[in-house]
Amino acid sequence: MTDAARRWNLAESLRVDADRATLYGLVSDLRNMGRWSPECRGVWVRRPPVRPGTRFVGFNRRGPFLWFTTGRVTTARPGEAFVFEVGVFGLPIARWGYRFEDAEEHPGEENPGGGTLVTETWEDLRTGRGAGLATLLGTVFAGTNTERRIAVNRHGMRTTLERLARTATAAAAGTAG
């Protein structure tokens, strides 16, 4: 696949019956990612709570493939946005983010109003020097080449958002999630 034909970013959104602060609190506790993501099995953060500059390690699995990533939080604005970048062996891999907006500002057929619109974003950072090696490592360790990454990430993002929504809704109702 040529760089011109390659997808470099992706966004998925879901309306959640919870407030922005609750959702931000759940997402910014990176240790929760292992509960929601179909690839992430756990995250180790040395000193929670996280803030811009906080570093962490993610442990991932998809089928028989196991790998780790190192990450750094780049944006942490409570109730608005949470963004982090991940890499492996010092090579940049991806930027992941979450935006939180009042759902009333985005009416539509699937959004009757109320709640929060959560948007998860992904941006491929495998560009420039080291991009070829980073792409090869992604294929070898994660079992996903660039042609399949968009489909895998889209499915994973939808699953993550649905699981996050269930957790947040249960928290808002005062039950375990």
Side-chain angles (χ1 to χ4, degrees):
M1 173 181 286
T2 66
D3 281 353
R6 187 168 162 185
R7 285 282 309 266
W8 294 94
N9 54 56
L10 186 60
E12 289 290 323
S13 298
L14 184 67
R15 189 188 73 77
V16 180
D17 288 323
D19 63 74
R20 293 165 26 159
T22 297
L23 288 158
Y24 175 87
L26 289 168
V27 168
S28 65
D29 184 349
L30 286 167
R31 298 168 299 180
N32 284 322
M33 289 299 165
R35 296 170 55 193
W36 305 321
S37 169
E39 282 190 353
C40 179
R41 293 298 179 249
V43 174
W44 178 77
V45 179
R46 185 172 180 177
R47 290 189 192 107
V50 300
R51 57 186 140 293
T54 297
R55 296 194 179 275
F56 61 91
V57 177
F59 302 94
N60 308 287
R61 180 180 186 149
R62 196 172 66 73
F65 298 95
L66 298 166
W67 71 98
F68 74 93
T69 54
T70 55
R72 184 177 61 83
V73 175
T74 60
T75 303
R77 290 191 312 268
E80 293 180 30
F82 186 75
V83 181
F84 56 90
E85 294 180 357
V86 295
V88 65
F89 302 125
L91 298 169
I93 302 295
R95 178 178 298 119
W96 292 91
Y98 294 85
R99 283 191 319 269
F100 310 95
E101 303 170 272
D102 292 332
E104 292 88 22
E105 297 174 15
H106 302 276
E109 191 173 304
E110 292 186 27
N111 178 19
T116 300
L117 184 69
V118 181
T119 301
E120 182 176 7
T121 60
W122 167 81
E123 180 182 351
D124 193 335
L125 298 180
R126 295 172 295 173
T127 62
R129 195 170 156 221
L133 179 57
T135 298
L136 175 64
L137 290 172
T139 302
V140 171
F141 289 112
T144 306
N145 59 26
T146 53
E147 290 83 11
R148 292 195 56 235
R149 180 46 60 189
I150 288 293
V152 168
N153 281 359
R154 184 180 308 281
H155 169 76
M157 292 163 79
R158 288 177 179 166
T159 300
T160 298
L161 289 172
E162 289 166 3
R163 290 174 178 172
L164 169 63
R166 281 196 299 271
T167 301
T169 302
T175 61

